[in-house]
Amino acid sequence: MTHYSIALVSDVPELTLQALQPIAAALQIQVNGHFAPKWPVSASIEAHTETGIPPGFWPIRVLADIGDPSAAGYHTDANNQPYAVVQFASDWTVTASHELLEMLYDPFGNVLTPATTPRRTAPESARELARLAGLAAGPRCDKHRGQPAGNCAHSCNGLRTSSRAILR
């Protein structure tokens, strides 16, 4: 089983290290109880300060402004080092858990997933062609894409986290 180390950090003043610790614990419960039993991946999630992230840890950064008004969060990589950013908002814990699960499943955002399309005409783009071929790029956690975050959440250790939308 592949194991990753995740650091939950924040640049938001009201999200102190002490405030992040129970959230990291809830994310750990979600990974151990809902994700790891279905996937050959495990993780240790710990709260850290931005300057205290240990080497090799993949950060999830909660930011006051992620610089993309169209997104609540995303994950990507820099120099083969996966990381996620999450916009601080009322349901940020749902987004953080969603990005965590996506990052564990697809650290570099390049996994292709079988898909179908009802379209019967010629493809208009390479992406459409890939879908017609039965492959769609994108996270397997996005079962609820387009719905408000509150519709895709459940309680884990008393905190709102992303629903178990990890398809297998």
Side-chain angles (χ1 to χ4, degrees), residues 17-71:
L17 181 61
Q18 291 74 25
L20 289 175
Q21 288 171 341
I23 297 163
L27 295 174
Q28 185 70 65
I29 290 168
Q30 183 182 35
V31 168
N32 291 349
H34 305 158
F35 187 84
K38 296 183 182 212
W39 296 97
V41 177
S42 66
S44 298
I45 298 97
E46 301 174 6
H48 287 277
T49 62
E50 183 66 40
T51 58
I53 300 173
F57 274 62
W58 297 353
I60 298 175
R61 289 185 171 92
V62 183
L63 306 175
D65 183 4
I66 65 171
D68 183 350
S70 69

Side-chain angles (χ1 to χ4, degrees), residues 76-101:
T76 188
D77 73 287
N79 302 315
N80 290 321
Q81 175 74 23
Y83 69 93
V85 295
V86 173
Q87 177 72 46
F88 181 66
S90 62
D91 259 352
W92 76 267
T93 57
V94 176
T95 304
S97 71
H98 176 94
E99 294 305 330
L100 168 64
L101 299 179

Side-chain angles (χ1 to χ4, degrees), residues 140-159:
R140 302 223 5 143
C141 305
D142 283 342
K143 175 179 164 185
H144 303 294
R145 187 172 290 283
Q147 295 183 23
N151 292 353
C152 313
H154 71 281
S155 179
C156 186
N157 205 31
L159 290 166

Side-chain angles (χ1 to χ4, degrees), residues 112 117 123-139 145:
L112 296 177
T117 180
E124 296 176 4
S125 67
R127 186 175 181 93
E128 182 68 14
L129 181 60
R131 288 186 359 173
L132 287 170
L135 298 173
R145 187 172 290 283

